[in-house]
Amino acid sequence: MNGTNKKKIVNDPVHGFISISHPLIFDLIEHPYFQRLRNIKQLGLSYLVYPGAVHSRFQHCIGAMHLLDLAIETLRSKGLDISDNEAEAAAVAILLHDIGHGPFSHALEHVIANDISHEHLSRCFLYQLNKEFDGKLSLAIEIFEDKYPRHFLHQLISGQLDMDRMDYLKRDSFYTGVSEGIIGTERIIKMLNVVDDTLVVEAKGIYSIEKFLIARRLMYWQVYLHKTVVAAEQVLIKLLERAKELVLQGHDIYCNEPLLFLLNSKLTKADFFPNPQMPEAPLPLQHFAYIDDNDVMVAAKQWIHHGDKTLSQLANMIVNRRLPSVELNSTGFDSQRLSRLMAEFRKQYIDLADFSDYFVFTDTISINAYKPGEEAIQILYNNGKLVDIAIASDMLNAKALSDETKKFFLCYPKQLRGI
């Protein structure tokens, strides 16, 4: 390994040539924990709606690291003193910010690991890798957890104008073909500055920020929360929930050992966190590190033939794209209509009558495109004055962007349309 040339160049379809400038970054990319992200789709089941959306978390993390390198370069050019150690640590933090994602990204993080978020799992992987790399990730962890005195470095990784969002909006737009998500990342990065340890945007970049916020809102409703994508993710979640129920009840189901372990366990956050006195990762984290999208889909193909009708039907819906009808509205759905749909489902699907809530259900989705306040995007004018983008913009409707937009969805089999 010591003889390996670690100064590599990656040819990325979104950003062009990306340089891997730190040897530590190269070694982290080579680690099995990170290589696993090649088989985790960035947009989960969105490919069922947008066939091109099959790009991976691996690509996104490399892209976000590249944008962070550009941001550090820009800030240095404006006189900000950022050491090589800080630059490397920030690059490590953004590279590993999504390493805790499970199969199909957000779709399954609350099923496999018992409502444990990918952010917590990312922390667990960071601490484990820090042990394996003899403490070389300590500064990156401080920045990741916002415990390092220079807060703006954390903002580059996790904030309203972070390099994570900069990459995923542009990348997801590219792969889905949804042009509304295209943003001027290079211009925004060139307009970045730091005032009082806070990331700000110079006034010349205000129009690029406006477009960034609008693009984010449009991408959420057009891609991330597209009603068919929402329906598919709900079916996949319910498939795993049913598999978990069966395993905990003692039934045999086909899947690989790591997935079976997670389905058959009632784990807590503490179960995943590395023990400083133990060199090896905790068993739950080891198993989590071995599963990706492929394991879930292989299992789902087998579950189509399982004796449990509910598991079989849900698996068939995912594997063969037999998705339910889905309706959206802003006010909620009439409880009487939901009761009628449930009653008709039980009548038409006698074998599944006791499990109707797996197939007829309602819930909510919501977004905040922008959150004004303490972590607001501040516009820096030539006279040194800082103004919140929601106030500085003469084009954005600040209230519309900052208010939470909530929509209700209703899912049911297509055969029940019109009821």
PDB file of all heavy atoms in Angstrom, residues 14 39 72 107 149 189 235 269 273 284 329 350 404:
ATOM      1  N   VAL A  14     -20.382  15.016 -13.829  1.00  0.00           N
ATOM      2  CA  VAL A  14     -21.019  16.262 -13.399  1.00  0.00           C
ATOM      3  C   VAL A  14     -20.017  17.394 -13.243  1.00  0.00           C
ATOM      4  O   VAL A  14     -20.220  18.502 -13.735  1.00  0.00           O
ATOM      5  CB  VAL A  14     -21.788  16.041 -12.073  1.00  0.00           C
ATOM      6  CG1 VAL A  14     -22.381  17.354 -11.560  1.00  0.00           C
ATOM      7  CG2 VAL A  14     -22.884  15.002 -12.264  1.00  0.00           C
ATOM      8  N   ASN A  39     -22.835   0.661  -4.145  1.00  0.00           N
ATOM      9  CA  ASN A  39     -24.054  -0.131  -4.332  1.00  0.00           C
ATOM     10  C   ASN A  39     -25.233   0.393  -3.524  1.00  0.00           C
ATOM     11  O   ASN A  39     -26.183  -0.336  -3.241  1.00  0.00           O
ATOM     12  CB  ASN A  39     -23.769  -1.588  -3.956  1.00  0.00           C
ATOM     13  CG  ASN A  39     -22.764  -2.229  -4.894  1.00  0.00           C
ATOM     14  OD1 ASN A  39     -22.859  -2.084  -6.109  1.00  0.00           O
ATOM     15  ND2 ASN A  39     -21.776  -2.915  -4.330  1.00  0.00           N
ATOM     16  N   ILE A  72     -12.590  25.722  -0.141  1.00  0.00           N
ATOM     17  CA  ILE A  72     -11.403  26.031   0.670  1.00  0.00           C
ATOM     18  C   ILE A  72     -10.431  26.889  -0.143  1.00  0.00           C
ATOM     19  O   ILE A  72      -9.873  27.881   0.351  1.00  0.00           O
ATOM     20  CB  ILE A  72     -10.705  24.736   1.140  1.00  0.00           C
ATOM     21  CG1 ILE A  72     -11.600  23.937   2.095  1.00  0.00           C
ATOM     22  CG2 ILE A  72      -9.352  25.047   1.771  1.00  0.00           C
ATOM     23  CD1 ILE A  72     -11.807  24.530   3.455  1.00  0.00           C
ATOM     24  N   ALA A 107     -34.894   5.476   2.294  1.00  0.00           N
ATOM     25  CA  ALA A 107     -36.088   4.633   2.325  1.00  0.00           C
ATOM     26  C   ALA A 107     -36.090   3.626   3.477  1.00  0.00           C
ATOM     27  O   ALA A 107     -37.140   3.317   4.031  1.00  0.00           O
ATOM     28  CB  ALA A 107     -36.246   3.893   0.997  1.00  0.00           C
ATOM     29  N   PRO A 149     -13.525  24.874  16.960  1.00  0.00           N
ATOM     30  CA  PRO A 149     -13.793  26.301  17.147  1.00  0.00           C
ATOM     31  C   PRO A 149     -14.170  27.065  15.872  1.00  0.00           C
ATOM     32  O   PRO A 149     -14.902  28.048  15.937  1.00  0.00           O
ATOM     33  CB  PRO A 149     -12.471  26.835  17.726  1.00  0.00           C
ATOM     34  CG  PRO A 149     -11.814  25.662  18.355  1.00  0.00           C
ATOM     35  CD  PRO A 149     -12.224  24.477  17.548  1.00  0.00           C
ATOM     36  N   ILE A 189     -19.792  29.133  -5.161  1.00  0.00           N
ATOM     37  CA  ILE A 189     -18.566  28.881  -4.402  1.00  0.00           C
ATOM     38  C   ILE A 189     -17.606  30.065  -4.507  1.00  0.00           C
ATOM     39  O   ILE A 189     -16.980  30.461  -3.511  1.00  0.00           O
ATOM     40  CB  ILE A 189     -17.906  27.567  -4.865  1.00  0.00           C
ATOM     41  CG1 ILE A 189     -18.744  26.368  -4.384  1.00  0.00           C
ATOM     42  CG2 ILE A 189     -16.471  27.451  -4.356  1.00  0.00           C
ATOM     43  CD1 ILE A 189     -18.326  25.037  -4.951  1.00  0.00           C
ATOM     44  N   VAL A 235     -43.992   1.287   0.109  1.00  0.00           N
ATOM     45  CA  VAL A 235     -44.162  -0.153  -0.098  1.00  0.00           C
ATOM     46  C   VAL A 235     -42.897  -0.894   0.343  1.00  0.00           C
ATOM     47  O   VAL A 235     -42.970  -1.940   1.002  1.00  0.00           O
ATOM     48  CB  VAL A 235     -44.478  -0.463  -1.576  1.00  0.00           C
ATOM     49  CG1 VAL A 235     -44.425  -1.974  -1.851  1.00  0.00           C
ATOM     50  CG2 VAL A 235     -45.859   0.081  -1.948  1.00  0.00           C
ATOM     51  N   LYS A 269     -29.152   2.857  19.576  1.00  0.00           N
ATOM     52  CA  LYS A 269     -28.021   3.639  19.064  1.00  0.00           C
ATOM     53  C   LYS A 269     -26.705   3.168  19.675  1.00  0.00           C
ATOM     54  O   LYS A 269     -25.682   3.084  18.993  1.00  0.00           O
ATOM     55  CB  LYS A 269     -28.229   5.123  19.384  1.00  0.00           C
ATOM     56  CG  LYS A 269     -29.277   5.818  18.535  1.00  0.00           C
ATOM     57  CD  LYS A 269     -29.325   7.302  18.865  1.00  0.00           C
ATOM     58  CE  LYS A 269     -30.300   8.021  17.947  1.00  0.00           C
ATOM     59  NZ  LYS A 269     -30.332   9.484  18.225  1.00  0.00           N
ATOM     60  N   PHE A 273     -22.396   1.948  18.374  1.00  0.00           N
ATOM     61  CA  PHE A 273     -21.264   2.849  18.629  1.00  0.00           C
ATOM     62  C   PHE A 273     -20.014   2.065  19.041  1.00  0.00           C
ATOM     63  O   PHE A 273     -20.079   1.203  19.921  1.00  0.00           O
ATOM     64  CB  PHE A 273     -21.617   3.866  19.712  1.00  0.00           C
ATOM     65  CG  PHE A 273     -20.821   5.128  19.572  1.00  0.00           C
ATOM     66  CD1 PHE A 273     -21.212   6.110  18.689  1.00  0.00           C
ATOM     67  CD2 PHE A 273     -19.646   5.304  20.302  1.00  0.00           C
ATOM     68  CE1 PHE A 273     -20.459   7.262  18.535  1.00  0.00           C
ATOM     69  CE2 PHE A 273     -18.889   6.451  20.153  1.00  0.00           C
ATOM     70  CZ  PHE A 273     -19.303   7.444  19.265  1.00  0.00           C
ATOM     71  N   PRO A 284     -23.310  -5.211  15.323  1.00  0.00           N
ATOM     72  CA  PRO A 284     -24.355  -4.586  14.512  1.00  0.00           C
ATOM     73  C   PRO A 284     -23.783  -3.692  13.407  1.00  0.00           C
ATOM     74  O   PRO A 284     -24.287  -3.687  12.280  1.00  0.00           O
ATOM     75  CB  PRO A 284     -25.155  -3.764  15.525  1.00  0.00           C
ATOM     76  CG  PRO A 284     -24.957  -4.471  16.819  1.00  0.00           C
ATOM     77  CD  PRO A 284     -23.542  -4.967  16.766  1.00  0.00           C
ATOM     78  N   ASN A 329     -52.850  15.717  -1.420  1.00  0.00           N
ATOM     79  CA  ASN A 329     -53.564  16.978  -1.247  1.00  0.00           C
ATOM     80  C   ASN A 329     -53.028  17.712  -0.025  1.00  0.00           C
ATOM     81  O   ASN A 329     -52.198  17.183   0.715  1.00  0.00           O
ATOM     82  CB  ASN A 329     -55.091  16.784  -1.201  1.00  0.00           C
ATOM     83  CG  ASN A 329     -55.576  16.146   0.080  1.00  0.00           C
ATOM     84  OD1 ASN A 329     -55.005  16.332   1.150  1.00  0.00           O
ATOM     85  ND2 ASN A 329     -56.652  15.377  -0.017  1.00  0.00           N
ATOM     86  N   ILE A 350     -59.373 -11.278   0.100  1.00  0.00           N
ATOM     87  CA  ILE A 350     -59.743 -12.023   1.309  1.00  0.00           C
ATOM     88  C   ILE A 350     -58.504 -12.558   2.032  1.00  0.00           C
ATOM     89  O   ILE A 350     -58.429 -12.516   3.261  1.00  0.00           O
ATOM     90  CB  ILE A 350     -60.713 -13.173   0.948  1.00  0.00           C
ATOM     91  CG1 ILE A 350     -62.009 -12.589   0.378  1.00  0.00           C
ATOM     92  CG2 ILE A 350     -61.000 -14.039   2.170  1.00  0.00           C
ATOM     93  CD1 ILE A 350     -62.942 -13.613  -0.215  1.00  0.00           C
ATOM     94  N   GLU A 404     -43.014  25.655   6.359  1.00  0.00           N
ATOM     95  CA  GLU A 404     -43.051  24.226   6.050  1.00  0.00           C
ATOM     96  C   GLU A 404     -44.241  23.937   5.141  1.00  0.00           C
ATOM     97  O   GLU A 404     -45.356  24.361   5.412  1.00  0.00           O
ATOM     98  CB  GLU A 404     -43.182  23.404   7.328  1.00  0.00           C
ATOM     99  CG  GLU A 404     -43.189  21.905   7.061  1.00  0.00           C
ATOM    100  CD  GLU A 404     -43.353  21.085   8.324  1.00  0.00           C
ATOM    101  OE1 GLU A 404     -44.335  21.311   9.048  1.00  0.00           O
ATOM    102  OE2 GLU A 404     -42.485  20.245   8.583  1.00  0.00           O
TER     103      GLU A 404
END
